[in-house]
């Protein structure tokens, strides 16, 4: 079983290699949020939230559709984690058929959730992505379509969060058997689900920059433990990896929550968004594990014999990037 897991984890290292090669900075996917609420015919209250405070400043902005203009001057406000812009938008003939675009979105790795509340009660939800930074407005969206948007956000948040996947890989590298693997992944899932819910519901919060540094430190922590496991040594972490997974999973849950809390969703939408976002995170995590298993089976069938450098790649990747991100993110605090 130990040999099987080592083979599986070598496959995991190769699966992450292409993503990690260009990921010297593993930035959180922090979505933007644009809300337009129709108070009077053809007049909309605008709320724009642009995420700030991360390792890289996200420079995106909505482009007002043709035929629309600010009826009142836009007002900017700096809040923890976001810049808020409020104003009143006047659109001749309403928004139906007009195109809304997010400038700069196509060169980022983030998304923007657009929510439009019409005076007649119709609700539009659109998830704009780097590949599709614009949308034609006017059609009401169903509850199923809104649910799909939150689900997609969760999946993308985990798959684009290379540091989260790297932490999971580090845990797997020190796991000794299948039952312990199940316990470890379950503990990590339970822990980050708890803090994701607590943060999204507003009961607790964590500053983004110190949080990112702590997440990097959790990855670095696993580096020496991986070496001990390779040498046949033991430690508390190697004997009880599920405890470490639960403890650091609480930190990672706050990291996942940053994808929702910065958006400032209406309170009525939070339970649905929280549930489906978390389901999306879990689906993304499962997809990663399934990919690793499929790769492992393919490599085993082909009887590929790895050079020693490749065999050590996953462990050295965890330790090296954990150290790099810890130094980088700690420096950003100052």
């Amino acid at each position: 079983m130990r040999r099987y897991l080592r083979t599986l984890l070598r496959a995991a290292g190769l699966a992450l290699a292409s993503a990690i090669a260009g990921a010297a900075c593993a930035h959180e996917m922090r979505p933007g949020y644009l809300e337009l609420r129709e108070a009077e015919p053809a007049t909309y209250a605008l709320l724009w939230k642009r995420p700030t405070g991360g390792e890289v400043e996200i420079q995106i902005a909505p482009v007002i559709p043709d035929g629309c203009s600010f009826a009142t001057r836009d007002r900017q406000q700096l809040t923890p984690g976001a810049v808020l812009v409020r104003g009143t938008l006047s659109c001749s003939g309403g928004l139906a058929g007009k195109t809304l675009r997010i400038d700069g979105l196509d060169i980022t790795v983030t998304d923007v959730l657009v929510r439009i509340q019409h005076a007649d009660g119709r609700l539009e939800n659109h998830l704009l992505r780097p590949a599709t930074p614009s949308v034609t407005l006017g059609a009401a969206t169903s509850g199923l379509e809104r649910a799909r948007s939150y689900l997609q956000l969760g999946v993308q948040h985990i798959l684009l969060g290379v540091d989260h996947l790297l932490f999971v890989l580090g845990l797997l590298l020190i796991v000794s058997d299948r039952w312990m693997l199940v316990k470890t992944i379950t503990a990590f899932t339970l822990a980050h689900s708890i803090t994701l819910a607590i943060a999204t519901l507003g009961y607790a919060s964590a500053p983004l920059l110190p949080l990112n540094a702590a997440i990097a430190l959790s990855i670095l922590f696993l580096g020496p433990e991986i070496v001990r496991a390779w040498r046949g040594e033991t430690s508390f972490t190697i004997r009880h990896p599920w405890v470490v997974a639960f403890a650091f999973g609480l930190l990672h849950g706050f990291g996942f929550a940053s994808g929702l809390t910065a958006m400032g969703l209406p309170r009525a939408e939070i339970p649905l968004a929280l549930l489906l976002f978390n389901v999306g995170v879990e689906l993304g995590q499962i997809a990663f594990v399934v990919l690793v298993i499929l790769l492992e089976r393919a490599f085993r069938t082909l009887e590929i014999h790895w050079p020693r450098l490749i065999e050590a790649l996953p462990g050295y990747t965890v330790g090296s990037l954990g150290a790099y991100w810890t130094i980088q993110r700690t420096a950003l605090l100052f």
Side-chain angles (χ1 to χ4, degrees), residues 215-235:
I215 289 174
L217 187 61
S218 73
I219 300 170
L220 175 59
F221 172 84
L222 294 179
E225 299 299 329
I226 295 170
V227 174
R228 291 190 183 98
W230 283 349
R231 293 174 177 173
E233 300 174 1
T234 188
S235 67

Side-chain angles (χ1 to χ4, degrees), residues 184-194 245-246 249 278 282 285:
T184 300
I185 296 301
T186 301
F188 181 67
T189 298
L190 179 61
H192 72 62
S193 297
I194 291 172
F246 185 87
N278 195 37
E282 301 314 319
Q285 189 170 287

Side-chain angles (χ1 to χ4, degrees), residues 100-181:
L100 176 69
R101 180 170 61 87
I102 305 298
D103 189 36
L105 187 61
D106 56 333
I107 58 174
T108 69
V109 293
T110 193
D111 296 334
V112 172
L113 183 65
V114 177
R115 177 186 173 90
I116 302 174
Q117 178 72 60
H118 295 278
D120 59 6
R122 287 182 299 117
L123 183 64
E124 284 187 63
N125 263 48
H126 304 283
L127 184 64
L128 301 187
R129 306 170 65 181
T132 54
S134 63
V135 64
T136 300
L137 304 174
T141 52
S142 65
L144 181 61
E145 291 172 312
R146 296 200 301 274
R148 185 175 60 188
S149 296
Y150 297 128
L151 195 67
Q152 288 177 346
L153 280 174
V155 172
Q156 293 169 26
H157 196 84
I158 180 66
L159 293 184
L160 293 176
V162 178
D163 47 1
H164 298 302
L165 293 180
L166 202 63
F167 180 78
V168 173
L169 177 60
L171 287 172
L172 298 179
L173 284 167
I174 62 176
V175 169
S176 58
D177 58 62
R178 184 175 300 176
W179 171 236
M180 187 61 73
L181 175 63

Side-chain angles (χ1 to χ4, degrees), residues 38 240 242 310:
E38 189 176 18
H240 308 287
W242 66 271
I310 298 299

Side-chain angles (χ1 to χ4, degrees), residues 233-251:
E233 300 174 1
T234 188
S235 67
F236 179 85
T237 302
I238 294 172
R239 292 192 303 271
H240 308 287
W242 66 271
V243 176
V244 174
F246 185 87
F248 284 126
L250 296 174
L251 281 177

